[in-house]
Amino acid sequence: MSDLDLLPSKLLSVLLRPDFWLWLGLLTALWASWRGWRRLATWVLVSLVVAVTLVGFVPVGHVWLAPLESRFPTNPDLTDTPSAIVVLGGGEDIRTSAAWDAHNVSSAGDRILHAIRRAHEFPGIPVLFTGGAFNATNDPLLEGNAERVGEMLQASGIPPEHVHIGAIARTTAEHPADITAFLEDQGLTPTTDAPMLLITSAFHMPRAMGVLCTAGIDHVIADPTDHRTVPGARWQDTIRWAYAGNLSNLQLAIREWVGLLAYQRAGHTDALLPDGC
């Protein structure tokens, strides 16, 4: 599947963003005011003020992210040594790293840091980073992102021969292709006594596990990181002005729940909220 084939889904993700609808609402109010439709302009502006106020003070995104992040246990029991460590892409800041010839991480950079931690906890275990870049415009700054993450892993002290790169996957549904090729190349077959460790953001783990299970990749232990919610937090501690953070979590929650629904309908997962194989 080419990058152009993925373009519709990327455009749909823009339409699902609350900040896009905020911009569209402001544009509508401006147009209504210019047309002299003051009642419509006022109604739209009042609606936007109410929406921004609610998002700013009420962490709705946390409520929607919580069941995703709690689906798999954090710090799972690893009594058996894993046969491999797999970290999904998304933690790298692709364009900034390329522009500055540096190694920068995104807001999901915990994925990479946690993979480094596990690699040092289980030395000698092969580590796979799987993640390509959606690059429909042939942006040169988006090339070689997977290799750059490989450099980050090696710079942390992981031997180069234990670092492996899979640059096929640009979506969650494409990760099994990278992982299957890696397992075949290494001659590995995860088992109950030697499972494969999967690292990704906690909110993304249900969809990732569902995709792997549906693809027939068994004996996988979910090892979530990059948490965005605070379990057990008192409501009075969460009601405060935090518009940027609340909006970011709301957008993450909408994207992930819509992604789960779309993946189930497309057959990439066998449940709306997967809980393992």
Side-chain angles (χ1 to χ4, degrees):
M1 182 179 293
S2 68
D3 288 334
L4 290 178
D5 294 328
L6 296 174
L7 192 57
S9 64
K10 299 298 181 181
L11 292 176
L12 177 61
S13 67
V14 173
L15 296 178
L16 294 173
R17 294 175 59 105
D19 56 359
F20 170 79
W21 289 99
L22 173 63
W23 170 81
L24 191 62
L26 291 172
L27 193 63
T28 301
L30 180 63
W31 175 75
S33 178
W34 176 72
R35 296 282 296 182
W37 298 342
R38 297 187 60 184
R39 180 173 297 181
L40 175 61
T42 300
W43 182 85
V44 172
L45 286 174
V46 169
S47 299
L48 291 176
V49 169
V50 171
V52 169
T53 302
L54 287 175
V55 171
F57 282 106
V58 182
V60 179
H62 288 65
V63 176
W64 291 357
L65 285 175
L68 299 177
E69 295 201 333
S70 62
R71 195 64 172 172
F72 294 91
T74 300
N75 298 318
D77 183 16
L78 300 178
T79 54
D80 297 311
T81 301
S83 58
I85 299 171
V86 175
V87 54
L88 305 189
E92 68 279 15
D93 189 337
I94 305 173
R95 299 189 80 256
T96 305
S97 295
W100 289 96
D101 191 22
H103 296 120
N104 298 317
V105 297
S106 68
S107 59
D110 289 352
R111 300 183 187 189
I112 298 173
L113 297 178
H114 193 56
I116 291 173
R117 172 199 166 191
R118 289 303 192 194
H120 286 287
E121 184 178 353
F122 300 102
I125 300 301
V127 180
L128 169 69
F129 171 82
T130 163
F134 172 73
N135 191 9
T137 61
N138 295 319
D139 184 349
L141 294 180
L142 296 180
E143 297 177 358
N145 71 296
E147 288 74 13
R148 195 175 295 273
V149 175
E151 295 172 0
M152 294 172 62
L153 296 174
Q154 294 178 39
S156 74
I158 304 174
E161 62 270 20
H162 294 157
V163 176
H164 304 271
I165 299 299
I168 296 176
R170 295 151 302 168
T171 66
T172 304
E174 294 180 337
H175 283 304
D178 275 341
I179 296 173
T180 300
F182 160 73
L183 293 176
E184 292 177 351
D185 179 69
Q186 295 297 303
L188 296 174
T189 301
T191 63
T192 303
D193 296 330
M196 187 184 81
L197 202 59
L198 179 67
I199 297 175
T200 188
S201 298
F203 66 84
H204 181 241
M205 187 61 79
R207 184 152 57 115
M209 284 291 289
V211 165
L212 264 61
C213 293
T214 302
I217 301 176
D218 299 322
H219 303 295
V220 180
I221 293 181
D223 193 8
T225 185
D226 181 36
H227 299 81
R228 308 300 175 99
T229 63
V230 181
R234 301 181 305 171
W235 69 267
Q236 58 265 40
D237 294 331
T238 62
I239 304 298
R240 64 182 187 278
W241 183 257
Y243 181 75
N246 287 350
L247 178 63
S248 176
N249 282 333
L250 178 58
Q251 293 180 160
L252 275 178
I254 292 174
R255 184 184 69 185
E256 199 58 34
W257 278 105
V258 171
L260 283 165
L261 179 60
Y263 271 42
Q264 183 190 28
R265 292 182 64 87
H268 296 310
T269 64
D270 60 3
L272 176 62
L273 195 56
D275 59 0
C277 302

